[in-house]
Amino acid sequence: MPEIVFYKVAIGYPGNVIAEDVTFTVEKNDFLIIFGPNGAGKTTLAKTILGILKPLKGETYIFGCPVTGVCPHKKMIGYVPQVYNIDKDFPATLYDVVISGCYPLLKPLQKIPSHFKEEAVENLKTVGLIDFKDKPFAHLSGGQQKRGLIARALMGPPKTLLLDEPTSGIDMASEIQVNEVIINTHRTFQIPVILITHDINPYLEVATKFILMGYGRYFFGSFEEVIQPDVLSEVYKTKVDVVTKEGFKFINVRDFHHDRNT
């Protein structure tokens, strides 16, 4: 059975359906990109995958367990939120934030086992931040914080990694570093990655499946099925080009800005 199954699912809130007939699967080692204009329902879909929101209708399974049921395997989704706020005066180090990723896996009052401590260090090495281990998390750059949150999400390790716009709010150089960490993590850990992003170009060579959402429309499939100029132009309501240069394909989309909360 696939790692994640959605079949004819309606997502949203009571009285406010964001998208209907959402159907897709995530197999082992898949790299799924979810993209589309702001306000299209991408974060709502992520919350449904995580079990934070119950589907309004349809069938959903995470590692064989229905999303509506109580299933410990939901804890095995490593999640990197779009926004992670921490008080600049709070003395948590980068290591403290990363090791906290194992807390949901512990019993009440259980001490942190040594293997989790070792894992936190290895994850910091994976994201290239071991030299910042003891630095206050709040004092790190935006890009460093994003990489630290990826290290935190990899505690366990998880069976799937879900990232919600991990490059938002950071500069271009940091964005490139985060993109590289995500791709390398996928290859190293060999687990499915679900990535919500506005810029899919850095991932076109590694992505296996795509979900395009926008204004009540929903498309799922391979690059050939989803990344089509007419489909993209319909969703983004502007001309979109798919360009091939030196054997690599790129898309050019002028995005609209709507409410990020959906």
Side-chain angles (χ1 to χ4, degrees):
M1 186 175 186
E3 304 284 274
I4 297 174
V5 177
F6 272 51
Y7 180 69
K8 294 189 175 181
V9 174
I11 64 171
Y13 306 84
N16 182 19
V17 177
I18 304 298
E20 294 188 272
D21 293 326
V22 175
T23 298
F24 68 92
T25 60
V26 177
E27 308 279 350
K28 189 180 174 87
N29 293 333
D30 265 344
F31 195 113
L32 169 66
I33 290 179
I34 302 173
F35 71 115
N38 285 331
K42 303 182 296 294
T43 296
T44 302
L45 177 56
K47 290 179 179 179
T48 308
I49 293 172
L50 291 166
I52 297 172
L53 291 177
K54 291 184 178 181
L56 300 177
K57 66 177 181 180
E59 299 179 25
T60 57
Y61 295 91
I62 308 296
F63 314 128
C65 298
V67 167
T68 52
V70 177
C71 179
H73 289 95
K74 290 179 187 176
K75 297 178 181 179
M76 297 309 296
I77 298 179
Y79 177 49
V80 179
Q82 184 178 155
V83 178
Y84 184 86
N85 294 319
I86 187 169
D87 190 327
K88 287 190 176 182
D89 295 325
F90 188 69
T93 65
L94 172 59
Y95 175 82
D96 293 333
V97 171
V98 172
I99 196 69
S100 71
C102 78
Y103 292 170
L105 306 176
L106 302 179
K107 297 177 182 178
L109 303 180
Q110 179 184 357
K111 291 184 178 180
I112 299 176
S114 59
H115 70 88
F116 278 136
K117 296 178 181 179
E118 295 169 0
E119 185 180 346
V121 171
E122 289 303 314
N123 287 352
L124 283 168
K125 292 178 181 178
T126 296
V127 302
L129 290 177
I130 189 61
D131 292 339
F132 297 85
K133 172 177 172 288
D134 299 316
K135 297 288 185 181
F137 183 81
H139 295 175
L140 299 176
S141 70
Q144 290 169 338
Q145 288 185 352
K146 295 285 187 176
R147 285 189 281 155
L149 292 178
I150 293 173
R152 176 180 182 268
L154 290 171
M155 292 298 297
K159 295 180 69 174
T160 296
L161 183 63
L162 193 162
L163 309 99
D164 189 355
E165 297 193 37
T167 58
S168 64
I170 59 178
D171 59 54
M172 185 176 296
S174 297
E175 183 175 337
I176 292 172
Q177 290 179 322
V178 171
N179 290 338
E180 291 176 348
V181 165
I182 293 170
I183 292 172
N184 290 337
T185 295
H186 173 62
R187 291 170 173 164
T188 300
F189 283 75
Q190 297 186 338
I191 57 175
V193 169
I194 302 172
L195 172 66
I196 299 174
T197 182
H198 283 289
D199 184 8
I200 73 173
N201 286 325
Y203 303 98
L204 290 181
E205 296 304 308
V206 67
T208 57
K209 296 175 180 176
F210 299 83
I211 291 177
L212 172 60
M213 304 177 70
Y215 310 115
R217 303 303 306 275
Y218 171 84
F219 303 89
F220 166 69
S222 64
F223 180 96
E224 291 74 19
E225 293 169 316
V226 178
I227 312 301
Q228 297 295 329
D230 56 341
V231 173
L232 295 169
S233 297
E234 178 185 352
V235 170
Y236 282 95
K237 301 185 185 302
T238 190
K239 180 175 174 56
V240 177
D241 295 318
V242 179
V243 180
T244 301
K245 184 177 181 180
E246 297 180 356
F248 295 95
K249 293 185 177 180
F250 302 88
I251 69 169
N252 182 21
V253 179
R254 184 172 67 247
D255 194 9
F256 294 149
H257 295 279
H258 296 277
D259 184 4
R260 284 183 176 272
N261 292 328
T262 58

